[in-house]
Amino acid sequence: MDIKIKRGSVSSEKSDAAVFTLFEGERPDGALAEIDDMQGGVISRTIASGEFTGKRDETALFHLVSKAGPARVILAGLGKRDKFTPDNLMRAAGAAAGLARKSGFREISADASLPEISSRDFASIFSQGALMALYDFNKFKSAEKNKKEIKTLTFFTEDKAEEAALKKGAAEGRIIADSVNFAKDMINAPANEMTPSVMASRAKAAAKDVGLKLKVLDEDDCHKLGMGAFLGVAKGSKQPPKFIVLEYSGGKKSESPFVIIGKGITFDSGGISIKPSEGMEKMKYDMAGAGAVIAAIRCAAALKLPVNLVAIAPCTENMPGGAALKPGDMVRAMNGKTIEIISTDAEGRLVLADALCYAARYRPRAVIDIATLTGACVIALGDFAIGLMGNDKELTGEIIKAGESANERAWELPMWDEYLDAMKGDVTDLRNVGGRKAATVTAGKFLQEFVDYPWAHLDIAGTAWEEKGRPYCPKGATAIGVRLIVEFLRGNGNGGGI
Ligand code: BES
Ligand code: MN
Ligand code: ZN
């Protein structure tokens, strides 16, 4: 879908449908009131009768009689005005775009005036909502490739001064949504189509697209660096592991970078501690963290954010091959710490341990890791809260803020020292499982043993996959973390150069 900005009024310009957002309990005004008048008041009567109330996620479709202007109007509810959030607008845009596609419309337009928000933000958020809602992973479906898609979304404004702001907002929204959708393409892909090598080639494509430095460490490189924990997991698979590193320099040379690390288990069978077969197919999304960080650095670079950023994605399968790790085995991580393998299914923390050690070489300003790490996180927080842990209150505070503004919300869990006891080994420094109690926190405490810088850990086991579908997030991968990280970087490095 192309996004255009044009001078003129939504009410007089031609389109298959003009989208208007409306607050709950309010009546049409501006361009919508003009259309309503021309149509003999059909819209206001529909509202007065209670058929359309303006509640969040609600939509209504009107067919117009006049030949000039839009052929139809789509109303999209924003909820109560005093409870307005940008997320409600994103949902309205998603719901409207979904309805327009379902109805087979090709050209849609939107009225971009909402006093609650600047024109730039309106265009950005509306574009994101629409583009993310229209995402469809149909690459492997033979019949659906020629499905009708919306061709253009046009924002109209009569104010010349607003044009530039709308253009900037739309460009920004497109970059963010494209990055989210780029992550979703990786995460939704079947595991045999998204091996560590394929992940590396996606990272290469992103690097070429937006100008990033790329390093892909193979098994030998990792061996030389002493990454015994990462390679321990990789041993059970025939797929060669890839330790992917992307670098973006948007800040001053002297400025230390942020590092983002994503768990990249392209399939988690559990290894020798094999998982139950029911639902195992879902474990293709165990690389959602890796997908998110590759997409986030792509997005940061495309937005020209004034920060230095490194993305690290340790990618491997977790398989029970003949050479696989066994319970009771021991591995040694890059920082020399020894780990007894209690369960080969607690593999995420192993690959992250070496990635966290590797991150230290950048003398990072802060490191954020993101991982589908524990089933216990799903039990504790459900499917719309990220589990957040860390060693720096300012950092976790900023992540919470960024999460709220991206509506990828994070909830902080305690990291008291007592929790580490469960992770101490009998014959080794650490064990990779600490039992059933507080399993999300003990996993976090395990990771903390590999960091010596400000650090935060995001457990996205519950939030990385959407079962039912929401207005701007279809079923499947959510790409959670991409927008949160970008918001976080903007809070820290501000704005961006586009
Ligand atoms: N990838 C899983 C965690 C997971 C579970 C992600 C459900 C998404 C949905 C992780 O590698 C794992 O298997 N964790 C184990 C750890 C346990 C053995 C300590 C778990 O949570 O059961
Ligand atoms: Mn596992
Ligand atoms: Zn896993």
Side-chain angles (χ1 to χ4, degrees):
M1 182 179 78
D2 286 338
I3 302 176
K4 292 185 181 152
I5 316 296
K6 273 197 190 153
R7 287 274 287 291
S9 162
V10 203
S11 54
S12 51
E13 300 286 340
K14 264 203 157 357
S15 71
D16 290 326
V19 179
F20 290 89
T21 54
L22 200 68
F23 285 110
E24 187 175 343
E26 296 193 9
R27 301 173 51 79
D29 66 357
L32 184 59
E34 273 170 42
I35 294 179
D36 189 36
D37 278 348
M38 288 191 305
Q39 302 297 316
V42 64
I43 296 174
S44 42
R45 275 203 308 280
T46 305
I47 295 168
S49 74
E51 204 178 311
F52 178 85
T53 62
K55 282 203 173 66
R56 198 176 77 166
D57 300 346
E58 197 182 8
T59 53
L61 178 62
F62 298 86
H63 295 257
L64 308 187
V65 245
S66 57
K67 291 238 168 63
R72 303 163 191 88
V73 158
I74 292 176
L75 288 189
L78 285 175
K80 292 236 163 66
R81 189 185 285 269
D82 59 2
K83 296 233 170 73
F84 175 76
T85 63
D87 192 64
N88 284 2
L89 175 60
M90 207 177 272
R91 296 176 75 115
L99 174 59
R101 177 174 58 190
K102 206 177 76 193
S103 313
F105 304 158
R106 307 304 295 266
E107 319 259 344
I108 62 172
S109 55
D111 179 39
S113 52
L114 192 67
E116 271 61 26
I117 194 170
S118 71
S119 305
R120 180 184 167 137
D121 286 349
F122 185 98
S124 173
I125 288 164
F126 197 101
S127 306
Q128 287 178 56
L131 290 167
M132 293 193 296
L134 297 175
Y135 173 82
D136 186 15
F137 188 71
N138 57 17
K139 200 176 148 197
F140 299 115
K141 285 203 169 198
S142 9
E144 294 200 18
K145 285 201 179 130
N146 301 320
K147 233 171 56 178
K148 276 198 179 163
E149 290 290 340
I150 301 174
K151 271 188 5 217
T152 49
L153 160 64
T154 310
F155 293 112
F156 283 101
T157 176
E158 286 178 286
D159 186 347
K160 188 163 194 276
E162 297 290 284
E163 241 182 294
L166 287 172
K167 276 205 173 116
K168 279 197 171 159
E172 172 190 297
R174 143 99 43 213
I175 289 171
I176 297 172
D178 280 356
S179 299
V180 165
N181 293 346
F182 171 70
K184 287 185 178 179
D185 274 348
M186 287 187 267
I187 302 164
N188 282 322
N192 58 341
E193 293 283 330
M194 197 48 59
T195 60
S197 308
V198 179
M199 294 281 294
S201 67
R202 294 289 166 104
K204 193 172 172 188
K208 194 164 164 252
D209 259 15
V210 299
L212 305 168
K213 234 175 94 186
L214 170 72
K215 254 187 304 192
V216 179
L217 308 185
D218 62 16
E219 193 181 335
D220 276 354
D221 302 322
C222 295
H223 187 75
K224 282 182 197 131
L225 287 164
M227 294 184 174
F230 174 55
L231 291 181
V233 177
K235 280 200 311 177
S237 168
K238 288 212 163 160
Q239 289 295 334
K242 301 287 168 190
F243 190 95
I244 300 168
V245 184
L246 288 161
E247 296 175 9
Y248 163 62
S249 321
K252 293 197 198 78
K253 256 219 160 91
S254 58
E255 230 169 58
S256 50
F258 290 104
V259 178
I260 48 179
I261 299 177
K263 170 177 171 183
I265 301 296
T266 59
F267 186 71
D268 183 10
S269 71
I272 297 296
S273 315
I274 199 158
K275 286 183 180 295
S277 55
E278 200 183 315
M280 201 201 270
E281 75 283 355
K282 290 262 301 283
M283 279 299 115
K284 67 176 185 181
Y285 81 82
D286 213 18
M287 39 57 75
V293 299
I294 296 170
I297 196 170
R298 175 199 187 275
C299 189
L303 291 173
K304 300 190 169 46
L305 299 188
V307 292
N308 295 329
L309 181 65
V310 179
I312 302 178
C315 295
T316 174
E317 285 184 332
N318 183 26
M319 294 290 283
L325 279 177
K326 307 173 290 299
D329 283 359
M330 185 205 87
V331 295
R332 191 185 294 273
M334 194 175 161
N335 65 352
K337 288 200 178 168
T338 52
I339 306 159
E340 183 182 5
I341 306 303
I342 303 301
S343 167
T344 63
D345 197 12
E347 83 298 339
R349 61 197 76 187
L350 298 174
V351 308
L352 291 173
D354 279 332
L356 290 163
C357 294
Y358 187 85
R361 65 171 52 199
Y362 290 99
R363 304 200 170 283
R365 187 162 156 193
V367 176
I368 302 172
D369 80 68
I370 173 159
T372 45
L373 204 64
T374 64
C377 189
V378 194
I379 305 300
L381 297 174
D383 46 20
F384 55 85
I386 299 170
L388 167 65
M389 287 141 272
N391 63 4
D392 185 297
K393 279 281 165 234
E394 203 183 309
L395 177 62
T396 51
E398 273 169 22
I399 290 173
I400 290 168
K401 262 200 290 175
E404 272 165 9
S405 100
N407 204 47
E408 298 189 337
R409 289 165 296 177
W411 191 258
E412 192 165 4
L413 301 173
M415 284 286 271
W416 298 309
D417 281 345
E418 287 87 336
Y419 286 114
L420 181 63
D421 293 343
M423 304 308 299
K424 288 185 178 150
D426 293 330
V427 290
T428 50
D429 299 326
L430 293 163
R431 50 195 347 249
N432 78 333
V433 170
R436 283 163 51 82
K437 291 184 188 165
T440 302
V441 177
T442 54
K445 290 306 283 183
F446 177 94
L447 297 179
Q448 194 177 4
E449 291 299 293
F450 302 89
V451 311
D452 58 1
Y453 39 67
W455 157 79
H457 159 60
L458 302 174
D459 194 329
I460 55 165
T463 46
W465 196 260
E466 168 62 39
E467 295 288 348
K468 299 190 290 282
R470 287 175 272 133
Y472 61 81
C473 186
K475 264 199 240 182
T478 62
I480 195 157
V482 179
R483 290 189 306 110
L484 181 152
I485 292 167
V486 171
E487 270 307 306
F488 168 83
L489 293 170
R490 288 177 133 184
N492 268 280
N494 301 316
I498 69 153

